[in-house]
């Protein structure tokens, strides 16, 4: 099978796993907006989301071995496309016409980007100085975005997307350097860059958890846009990746990025706040908060006017 097709297939499955993790994180954040990091460690829901993120990241790593950053990273927008109907299903509603329009625009834009970005298997890697420079510049930008101020959800989401995009670029260096057989598998370059990958991946996860306190749509859309943007800058400037088709290809990629961005914006604005979910639903059983935990759903209590009917008790 063509290497790019393998990368695309792996990226599609990875996007669905990331979407499920995002829904789980948003549910947890909405029910415990003031919870600190240590408290999250005691939540089964948070660990479910970590497991889903880890599975998605593993698939993403393999995809990066077969496809260039300019192909793999834009497919991360499918996370939002998958999360919207998933969230709607858990909320017990139908996907709206605006959401379908946003999905269609996002897919059309991604298709245009893939046509121009498709290239050979990656064979270039970041040197240790380049990796350290990228990591330092990204850490400084994340620190600026994470400062207290207006719109914390979108700023933390931007920081999370940057962290994840840089982690993907560094991951590609690790996978290519470790498998090209030109040196030892555990070289200084591989081990050092792998540590940077772990730091940015963990930071991106915690930043996204903080961002989802403001809801799912907007923050997830910002993560979805910032992630491939950061990776594309690194791929085009440092990894010798190129767009196909010359100036015409560049214009097509720009048009595709505009369509995808418009679709993402529509999706982020259209999705309403999630409604209470029946934890007996087979999907909600995985994403719902565990009974008896500090962040669990409130117990059911009878309505005053109808003792036989159970509804969520007042918080």
């Amino acid at each position: 099978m063509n290497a790019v097709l393998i990368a695309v297939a792996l990226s599609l499955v990875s996007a669905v796993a990331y979407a499920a993790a995002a829904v789980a994180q948003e549910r947890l954040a909405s029910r415990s907006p003031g919870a600190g990091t240590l408290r999250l460690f005691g939540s089964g829901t948070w660990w479910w989301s970590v497991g889903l993120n880890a599975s998605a990241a593993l698939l993403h790593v393999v995809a990066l071995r077969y496809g260039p950053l300019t192909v793999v990273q834009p497919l991360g927008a499918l996370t939002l496309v998958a999360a919207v109907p998933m969230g709607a299903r858990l909320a017990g509603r139908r996907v709206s016409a605006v959401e379908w329009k946003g999905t269609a625009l996002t897919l059309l834009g991604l298709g245009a980007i893939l046509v121009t970005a498709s290239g050979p298997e990656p064979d270039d890697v970041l040197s240790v100085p380049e990796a350290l420079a990228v990591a330092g510049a990204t850490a400084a930008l994340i620190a600026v975005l994470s400062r207290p101020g207006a719109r914390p959800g979108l700023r933390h989401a931007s920081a999370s997307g940057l962290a994840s995009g840089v982690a993907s670029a560094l991951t590609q260096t690790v996978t290519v350097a470790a498998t090209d057989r030109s040196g030892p598998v555990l070289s200084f370059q591989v081990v050092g860059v792998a540590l940077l990958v772990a730091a940015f991946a963990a930071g991106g996860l915690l930043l996204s958890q903080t961002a989802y306190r403001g809801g799912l749509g907007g923050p997830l859309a910002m993560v979805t846009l910032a992630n491939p943007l950061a990776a594309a800058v690194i791929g085009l400037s440092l990894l010798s990746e190129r767009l196909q088709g010359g100036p015409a290809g560049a214009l097509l990629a720009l048009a595709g990025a505009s369509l995808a961005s418009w679709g993402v914006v529509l999706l982020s604005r259209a999705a309403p706040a999630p409604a209470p979910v029946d934890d007996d639903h087979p999907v909600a059983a995985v994403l719902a908060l565990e009974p008896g935990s500090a962040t669990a759903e409130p117990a059911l209590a009878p309505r005053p006017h109808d003792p036989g009917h159970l509804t969520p008790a007042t918080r």
Side-chain angles (χ1 to χ4, degrees):
M1 183 183 291
N2 182 276
V4 172
L5 291 179
I6 295 175
V8 170
L10 291 170
S11 297
L12 293 177
V13 181
S14 174
V16 174
Y18 273 129
V23 173
Q25 286 182 273
E26 189 274 335
R27 284 171 55 82
L28 178 59
S30 65
R31 287 161 173 75
S32 53
T37 302
L38 293 179
R39 189 177 179 184
L40 291 175
F41 293 158
S43 168
T45 303
W46 190 76
W47 286 110
W48 270 112
S49 71
V50 170
L52 288 168
N53 269 304
S55 300
L58 180 60
L59 293 168
H60 188 74
V61 167
V62 181
L64 286 170
R65 181 62 187 89
Y66 289 99
L69 278 170
T70 47
V71 169
V72 175
Q73 289 306 115
L75 288 171
L78 294 175
T79 296
L80 184 60
V81 174
V84 168
M86 191 180 298
R89 181 70 182 89
L90 290 177
R93 63 176 181 84
R94 294 183 178 181
V95 180
S96 68
V98 175
E99 289 171 321
W100 283 125
K101 181 180 179 181
T103 299
L105 289 172
T106 302
L107 292 175
L108 285 174
L110 285 174
I113 292 173
L114 288 175
V115 168
T116 59
S118 298
E121 294 184 42
D123 57 6
D124 202 1
V125 297
L126 295 173
S127 65
V128 173
E130 287 175 336
L132 290 175
V134 168
T138 304
L141 186 54
I142 288 174
V144 172
L145 290 171
S146 301
R147 294 174 60 184
R151 297 183 178 274
L154 294 181
R155 287 188 294 102
H156 282 89
S158 299
S160 175
L162 289 174
S164 299
V166 170
S168 294
L170 297 176
T171 296
Q172 187 173 72
T173 287
V174 172
T175 56
V176 173
T179 58
D180 66 359
R181 300 180 181 179
S182 62
V185 174
L186 297 179
S187 64
F188 175 74
Q189 180 187 32
V190 171
V191 174
V193 177
L195 292 175
L196 291 176
V197 169
F200 279 108
L205 177 63
L206 294 176
L207 285 166
S208 65
Q209 180 66 64
T210 303
Y212 292 143
R213 293 174 182 174
L216 179 64
L220 182 55
M222 188 61 70
V223 170
T224 301
L225 290 174
N227 186 320
L229 177 61
V233 169
I234 295 172
L236 294 173
S237 62
L238 298 176
L239 294 176
S240 303
E241 296 184 1
R242 294 291 182 266
L243 298 175
Q244 307 298 314
L251 289 175
L252 180 59
L254 182 60
S258 299
L259 278 177
S261 299
W262 184 16
V264 166
V265 170
L266 287 177
L267 286 170
S268 67
R269 291 178 176 176
V277 178
D278 179 7
D279 288 344
D280 290 333
H281 189 279
V283 178
V286 176
L287 300 180
L289 300 171
E290 66 280 7
S293 71
T295 55
E297 289 286 348
L300 295 177
R303 288 181 180 175
H305 65 279
D306 185 1
H309 187 83
L310 297 180
T311 58
T314 303
R315 294 182 184 272

